[in-house]
């Protein structure tokens, strides 16, 4: 199952490149008022479909179990939704003095506001045998993003409620009635969400490529790629240091969960959120670029680091076991 999910993620990354390329070649199909009618099909139907699918696939019993890890959960939420965006904001104050594209810098700030994904962080945590299960708080994310948007907060909240919260709840209700059927047939939840997400990305970039006034210089893009890898590695190191301190009280397995969950960011929630919060922004696609880079970067770094982290965890657990054994 881990292998299948990894392959799906690799194909999804290829899919992102393909839909952006297609948007470049044929932007007219996905622009506002175009054949796809993204102002309806994407803003309401596609986003609702993603979260209905999430509600359908979310196992309530696992959610309840995750909430039992109160200390770990609290650490990850504070790091992800307080420390992470604040640190990025301070970092961007320095970067704003450079010639890096300002919309890409805004995109980096929105990355800092994103919650961890349920998918890649959990899978990578499982791969090394760590603990898992972090519950995302979308409303806190909305507070961070809403403050920098020209769209009224009440409008954002109502659209968030109708296209995110309601479909999620409906999905959970439907799951209760067809749970046995879902367990037997195991629908491809991930593939469904990925396909819908690619459609959202396509229409977002259609608006950009149809606007002749928007330009992205290659220098800014390359610098942002390096910044994203630097941020991920630095924050993974920070979470490792914080969670392995003598007074932290975390087990090696907890440290693994913290390293992955506190530093990974959700593309599945992020792209629809940006679509809602920055509705009408002509630079929406540029704001989305850092998150689109961050997603494959976190998968790549996670895959590379898994063997090293697993080796460390096994050694640390053995050392703790020996320490607890009576002489």
């Amino acid at each position: 199952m881990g292998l299948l999910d990894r392959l799906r993620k690799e194909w999804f990354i290829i899919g992102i490149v393909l839909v952006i390329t297609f948007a470049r070649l044929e932007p007219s199909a996905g622009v506002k008022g175009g054949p796809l009618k993204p102002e309806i099909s994407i803003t309401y139907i596609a986003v609702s479909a993603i979260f209905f699918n999430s509600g359908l696939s979310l196992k309530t019993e696992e959610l309840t179990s995750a909430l039992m890890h109160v200390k770990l959960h609290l650490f990850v939420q504070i790091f992800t939704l307080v420390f992470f965006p604040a640190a990025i904001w301070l970092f961007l104050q320095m970067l704003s003095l450079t010639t890096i594209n300002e919309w890409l810098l805004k995109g980096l700030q929105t990355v800092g506001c994103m919650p961890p994904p349920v998918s890649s962080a959990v899978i990578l945590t499982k791969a090394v045998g760590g603990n898992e299960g972090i519950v995302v708080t979308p409303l806190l994310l909305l507070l961070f993003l809403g403050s920098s948007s020209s769209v009224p907060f009440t409008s954002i909240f109502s659209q968030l409620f109708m296209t995110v919260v309601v479909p999620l709840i409906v999905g959970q209700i439907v799951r209760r009635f067809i749970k046995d059927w879902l367990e037997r047939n195991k629908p491809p939840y991930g593939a469904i969400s990925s396909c819908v997400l690619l459609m959202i990305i396509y229409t977002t970039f259609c608006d950009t490529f149809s606007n002749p006034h928007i330009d992205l210089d290659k220098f800014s893009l390359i610098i942002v790629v390096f910044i994203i890898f630097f941020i991920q590695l630095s924050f993974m190191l920070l979470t490792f240091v914080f969670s392995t301190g003598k007074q932290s009280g975390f087990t090696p397995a907890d440290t693994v969960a913290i390293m992955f969950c506190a530093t990974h960011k959700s593309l599945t929630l992020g792209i629809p959120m940006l679509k809602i919060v920055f509705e009408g922004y002509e630079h929406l696609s540029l704001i989305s670029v850092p998150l689109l880079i961050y997603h494959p970067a976190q998968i790549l770094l996670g895959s590379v680091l898994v063997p090293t982290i697993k080796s460390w965890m096994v050694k640390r657990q053995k050392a703790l076991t020996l320490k607890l054994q009576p002489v």
Side-chain angles (χ1 to χ4, degrees), residues 123-130 256 260 305-307 309-311 313-314:
I123 289 161
L124 289 168
T125 300
K126 280 183 177 178
V128 294
V256 172
F260 287 128
L305 292 173
V306 157
I309 295 173
K310 183 174 184 177
S311 175
M313 193 186 75
V314 170

Side-chain angles (χ1 to χ4, degrees), residues 6-167:
R6 189 166 69 248
L7 288 172
R8 181 181 62 79
K9 287 182 178 297
E10 289 173 359
W11 278 108
F12 178 64
I13 293 168
I14 295 170
I16 291 175
V17 176
L18 290 176
V19 295
I20 293 175
T21 304
F22 187 58
R24 178 71 174 132
L25 297 173
E26 191 56 52
S28 59
V31 295
K32 242 179 218 181
L36 290 178
K37 300 290 182 188
E39 59 272 22
I40 298 172
S41 63
I42 298 299
T43 305
Y44 296 99
I45 299 173
V47 175
S48 298
I50 282 181
F51 290 101
F52 173 77
N53 186 55
S54 296
L56 208 58
S57 63
L58 188 63
K59 296 180 179 179
T60 312
E61 58 273 19
E62 291 184 1
L63 192 66
T64 306
S65 174
L67 289 171
M68 297 303 290
H69 298 279
V70 177
K71 186 179 178 181
L72 186 148
H73 172 73
L74 188 62
F75 181 95
V76 171
Q77 291 300 323
I78 292 173
F79 188 93
T80 305
L81 297 173
V82 179
F83 178 82
F84 204 125
I88 293 295
W89 182 83
L90 288 172
F91 186 43
L92 291 181
Q93 300 312 299
M94 294 184 290
L95 291 179
S96 64
L97 302 174
T98 67
T99 58
I100 300 173
N101 186 289
E102 65 169 312
W103 295 102
L104 290 181
L105 294 182
K106 288 180 185 292
L108 283 173
Q109 184 63 68
T110 62
V111 167
C113 296
M114 295 296 162
V118 177
S119 54
S120 60
V122 170
I123 289 161
L124 289 168
T125 300
K126 280 183 177 178
V128 294
N131 291 337
E132 65 191 39
I134 301 301
V135 182
V136 177
T137 311
L139 289 178
L140 288 178
L141 172 65
L142 181 60
L143 287 173
F144 280 113
L145 294 179
S147 62
S148 61
S149 170
S150 61
V151 181
F153 181 79
T154 51
S155 175
I156 294 171
F157 181 80
S158 61
Q159 191 170 346
L160 172 74
F161 184 78
M162 293 305 298
T163 59
V164 176
V165 179
V166 171

Side-chain angles (χ1 to χ4, degrees), residues 268-318:
T268 305
L269 179 61
I271 293 297
M273 272 290 189
L274 291 180
K275 198 79 175 173
I276 294 171
V277 175
F278 294 99
E279 179 65 31
Y281 271 54
E282 63 175 1
H283 294 90
L284 174 58
S285 62
L286 296 186
I287 295 174
S288 307
V289 165
L291 184 58
L292 292 174
I293 296 171
Y294 198 98
H295 179 73
Q298 69 190 13
I299 295 170
L300 176 63
L301 277 178
S303 300
V304 169
L305 292 173
V306 157
T308 304
I309 295 173
K310 183 174 184 177
S311 175
W312 168 83
M313 193 186 75
V314 170
K315 288 178 181 177
R316 186 67 180 265
Q317 285 178 331
K318 283 182 179 178

